[in-house]
Amino acid sequence: MAEATSNSTKSMDAIVALCRRRGFIFQSSEIYGGIGGFWDYGPLGVLLKNNIRDVWWRDMVLTPPLGPDGKELDILGLDCSIISHPKVWEASGHVAGFADPMVDCKKCKARFRADQVSEATCPEKPSKRPGECGGELTEPRQFNLMFQTYHGAVFDEEHKTYLRPETAQGMFYNFKNVLDTSRVKVPFGLAQLGKGFRNEITPRNFIFRSREFEMMEVEFFVHPSEANQWYQFWRKARYDWWCKLGLAGQNLRLRDHEQDELAHYARDSGGCCDVEYAFPFSGEKGFSELEGIAYRSNFDLTQHQKTSGVGLEYFDQERNERYLPHVIEPAAGLTRGLLAVLCEAYTPDESRPSKVFMKFHPALAPVKAAVFPLVNKDGMPEIAEKLYHELRVRFVVELDVKQSIGKRYARMDEAGTPYCFTIDGQTLQDQTVTVRYRDTLQQERIAVDRVGAFLTEKIGSI
Ligand code: GAP
């Protein structure tokens, strides 16, 4: 992949508009006016999101990284329920601690983060700050970010449950199940991806901070004496992974947390850092979190052991020692990663009819190739259709027979399709097609029966 370009010249509004126009991302329930913090992934968006998801799953679970000793790590996948026993969230600390201090306006009933009142605006009088509309603000109160619901027919405290705010806890409360049913030994990892729900007070910056989003998390269990070494390992491995997706150069960095930023579970162990990306958000300079890598000590297993009463200690035969393993957790946002990939790919180019193209890594591109008959006659549509059917069993391809060839290229540039094949008059003579490269606009002819092999070779893998 080419060296990353700076994001400082890119406009977030233009990226959001392209996502809407080309069917990457829609506002959830748009025909009803939308709902804050919820998004729908359209035909191109779901293909792109699934491609990122699949690369993560392959690289973490199917063919995990090589450890410091050169051997492949042991990482097993899980897919846990979104709603779990409410005690899970007591044990994890989310019931007591997953909260922001909030103030309410007694007049308009709007709620604001106490530490952001000086930047927020009154929903009734947007030119004013909260409290300046004549409404009195309450004292700060803790507002829990977990979505609540009830299981079963009785709506009382005993039946109150939560939509998971992270996928991590399923891996902790299944730690013993996995040990009892597989042959893994410490060090090993559990991996899970899926939806997380947080009732964010200020969902913002498109899909960056949503109330429903997708995460990709690994919990890597280690002997306490090796935890720091594994933390350093994962720090580098995860930064390298994002580089591999094409986020690199000046737009990506690894930042260690300051002591006062550390999450409760990392406070005593001291290891936490973020992979950050330079999203082009207006009014905000600098980098924002894409993934956190945390040394969580044995906080979670200790808590679940205490709360459930079930022993979760691991017996290490080689060391002849019983202990609660410590955990290194690389926790990434899938939907946030998708936004970074979209921002990185967005490439203004005034010389093109579309004025912009999406420069995705070919292996991530939602559509790998398009097939066009130059005109809709002289046998060209039939050849195009045959080629399209041959290709689509192996690749996501589109057949486009409408409008001028320039408009068809423009659509594919905005979709980020790396290769377009055109059937023209010469195809009828010599069975060759034109291939047009998205990034360079270069065109060349190749034999029509070589197109499949050409795509396999060019797309490659990440
Ligand atoms: N188990 C650890 C954990 O949940 P986190 O930093 O709160 O850590 C992990 O979340 C990742 O999930 C973040 O790095 C971010 O990419 C993503 N994420 C968190 N909150 C999000 C939100 N409201 N919208 C979109 N992505 C979010």
Side-chain angles (χ1 to χ4, degrees):
M1 199 64 184
E3 185 65 15
T5 50
S6 166
N7 278 353
S8 57
T9 53
K10 298 181 187 175
S11 144
M12 198 62 209
D13 287 347
I15 294 170
V16 173
L18 183 141
C19 285
R20 170 72 186 80
R21 183 168 73 243
R22 295 299 309 135
F24 281 95
I25 301 170
F26 308 118
Q27 214 182 354
S28 169
S29 21
E30 193 186 82
I31 60 168
Y32 293 98
I35 169 168
F38 296 92
W39 300 93
D40 295 338
Y41 294 85
L44 291 180
V46 69
L47 287 168
L48 181 60
K49 178 154 70 66
N50 288 353
N51 288 345
I52 300 171
R53 177 199 70 184
D54 292 348
V55 173
W56 183 88
W57 189 260
R58 183 200 66 200
D59 289 350
M60 292 298 110
V61 180
L62 304 182
T63 54
L66 303 181
D69 59 0
K71 289 200 198 122
E72 211 173 65
L73 304 182
D74 262 336
I75 304 185
L76 304 178
L78 287 180
D79 183 7
C80 307
S81 62
I82 281 170
I83 291 177
S84 49
H85 196 290
K87 285 218 177 300
V88 167
W89 306 109
E90 283 174 30
S92 68
H94 284 83
V95 170
F98 193 55
D100 281 336
M102 305 298 301
V103 295
D104 293 331
C105 174
K106 290 187 183 167
K107 188 165 164 232
C108 70
K109 311 288 180 220
R111 181 165 279 171
F112 308 93
R113 267 179 60 167
D115 60 342
Q116 289 177 357
V117 167
S118 59
E119 301 135 53
T121 52
C122 168
E124 287 198 343
K125 297 199 173 146
S127 61
K128 294 192 184 294
R129 298 280 173 224
E132 290 174 2
C133 63
E136 192 190 335
L137 297 180
T138 61
E139 286 300 305
R141 288 184 287 218
Q142 291 300 108
F143 176 82
N144 197 289
L145 298 182
M146 281 195 294
F147 278 99
Q148 291 178 16
T149 184
Y150 297 89
H151 65 287
V154 183
F155 283 30
D156 63 9
E157 274 301 297
E158 203 185 319
H159 294 86
K160 192 158 85 184
T161 43
Y162 304 95
L163 304 191
R164 69 181 178 201
E166 60 174 19
T167 61
Q169 296 306 320
M171 296 185 267
F172 295 124
Y173 68 67
N174 274 303
F175 171 73
K176 188 170 177 337
N177 285 344
V178 174
L179 279 181
D180 290 349
T181 54
S182 65
R183 292 170 175 220
V184 281
K185 290 188 197 153
V186 170
F188 76 95
L190 293 176
Q192 171 163 222
L193 53 79
K195 294 225 167 179
F197 302 83
R198 298 182 188 180
N199 197 3
E200 300 282 1
I201 305 306
T202 45
R204 66 195 160 89
N205 289 331
F206 196 29
I207 59 171
F208 177 82
R209 188 175 304 289
S210 315
R211 291 182 167 137
E212 175 177 340
F213 56 96
E214 282 176 74
M215 342 175 54
M216 312 183 287
E217 299 193 280
V218 171
E219 307 303 330
F220 199 73
F221 299 94
V222 302
H223 187 271
S225 67
E226 294 178 351
N228 277 318
Q229 173 198 335
W230 282 110
Y231 171 66
Q232 296 303 331
F233 170 86
W234 279 109
R235 226 175 149 269
K236 177 168 182 334
R238 294 305 305 156
Y239 177 79
D240 290 349
W241 189 82
W242 288 107
C243 290
K244 197 170 75 161
L245 294 201
L247 313 181
Q250 67 254 55
N251 294 336
L252 198 67
R253 75 175 187 192
L254 194 55
R255 186 183 67 82
D256 290 307
H257 280 205
E258 303 291 335
Q259 194 60 27
D260 60 359
E261 271 182 279
L262 292 174
H264 57 284
Y265 47 75
R267 222 158 271 155
D268 296 331
S269 51
C272 205
C273 63
D274 290 339
V275 179
E276 295 185 330
Y277 182 73
F279 292 95
F281 300 139
S282 68
E284 285 180 38
K285 296 220 164 29
F287 289 78
S288 309
E289 177 184 342
L290 202 50
E291 169 160 356
I293 297 109
Y295 172 17
R296 295 180 76 112
S297 69
N298 59 8
F299 173 83
D300 304 271
L301 290 180
T302 305
Q303 287 296 106
H304 287 298
Q305 178 165 270
K306 225 190 286 173
T307 312
S308 67
V310 175
L312 298 179
E313 283 188 334
Y314 170 75
F315 181 66
D316 191 325
Q317 284 184 335
E318 277 158 36
R319 294 174 196 265
N320 194 25
E321 184 185 336
R322 192 174 287 282
Y323 57 91
L324 278 178
H326 281 208
V327 168
I328 312 301
E329 178 197 65
L334 170 56
T335 39
R336 205 174 271 188
L338 167 72
L339 181 60
V341 168
L342 284 164
C343 292
E344 187 78 24
Y346 186 89
T347 311
D349 179 354
E350 284 300 317
S351 74
R352 301 180 187 227
S354 56
K355 310 286 184 226
V356 63
F357 68 105
M358 297 299 278
K359 198 173 173 180
F360 298 121
H361 187 299
L364 288 188
V367 178
K368 305 301 183 208
V371 179
F372 308 147
L374 182 63
V375 290
N376 236 342
K377 56 183 185 186
D378 300 337
M380 293 180 208
E382 290 76 12
I383 299 175
E385 215 165 298
K386 181 165 177 282
L387 178 60
Y388 164 72
H389 284 294
E390 279 167 16
L391 295 177
R392 71 176 300 199
V393 293
R394 290 162 59 199
F395 309 98
V396 179
V397 283
E398 277 198 14
L399 174 68
D400 193 350
V401 298
K402 298 214 183 89
Q403 298 184 307
S404 70
I405 199 81
K407 286 198 171 133
R408 285 183 264 174
Y409 281 144
R411 277 188 74 242
M412 287 303 147
D413 278 350
E414 285 199 332
T417 305
Y419 309 102
C420 294
F421 300 101
T422 302
I423 314 314
D424 55 18
Q426 199 178 323
T427 313
L428 308 172
Q429 318 289 324
D430 64 5
Q431 288 76 50
T432 62
V433 297
T434 308
V435 51
R436 180 235 196 213
Y437 292 79
R438 175 197 66 197
D439 298 349
T440 59
L441 301 179
Q442 181 204 339
Q443 298 200 10
E444 64 188 27
R445 297 199 75 87
I446 62 167
V448 68
D449 60 7
R450 282 261 317 129
V451 170
F454 171 95
L455 278 180
T456 305
E457 181 200 319
K458 292 286 182 196
I459 291 165
S461 78
I462 274 189

